[in-house]
Amino acid sequence: MEIIMQVNDFINGIVWGVPLLVLILATGLFYTIRLGFFQFARPGFLFRETIVKAFSKKDEGKPAAGELTSFQAAMTSVAAIVGS
């Protein structure tokens, strides 16, 4: 059992250590440059498409095929958490 714990600690050190942090930061930097600093250049668009739409009372009717309403998405998330 002790050897399993040592192997697990070693793997956790690799996966959740400095290499993963460097990979996450490098990925973020890559996408920031590749998308032309979108999060800084278009903050109004991002705010409008996320926050404003989430709290909008406008009834757009039925969602298109394959799309979820915000309520359906929330309930799916709750079901995944409760079911695990």
Side-chain angles (χ1 to χ4, degrees), residues 1 3-4 12-13 16 18 22 24 28 34 36 39 42 52-54 56-57 64 75 78 83:
M1 188 66 161
I3 191 75
I4 294 173
N12 278 339
W16 298 112
V18 174
V22 169
I24 290 172
R34 182 80 173 142
Q39 67 269 39
R42 306 273 312 268
V52 174
K53 276 192 176 181
S56 175
K57 297 287 183 187
M75 292 301 105
V78 170

Side-chain angles (χ1 to χ4, degrees), residues 2-33:
E2 185 66 29
I3 191 75
I4 294 173
M5 295 293 288
Q6 289 175 350
V7 169
N8 187 36
D9 289 342
F10 176 74
I11 292 173
N12 278 339
I14 293 172
V15 172
W16 298 112
V18 174
L20 184 66
L21 293 175
V22 169
L23 181 63
I24 290 172
L25 289 173
T27 303
L29 184 62
F30 171 77
Y31 279 117
T32 296
I33 293 169

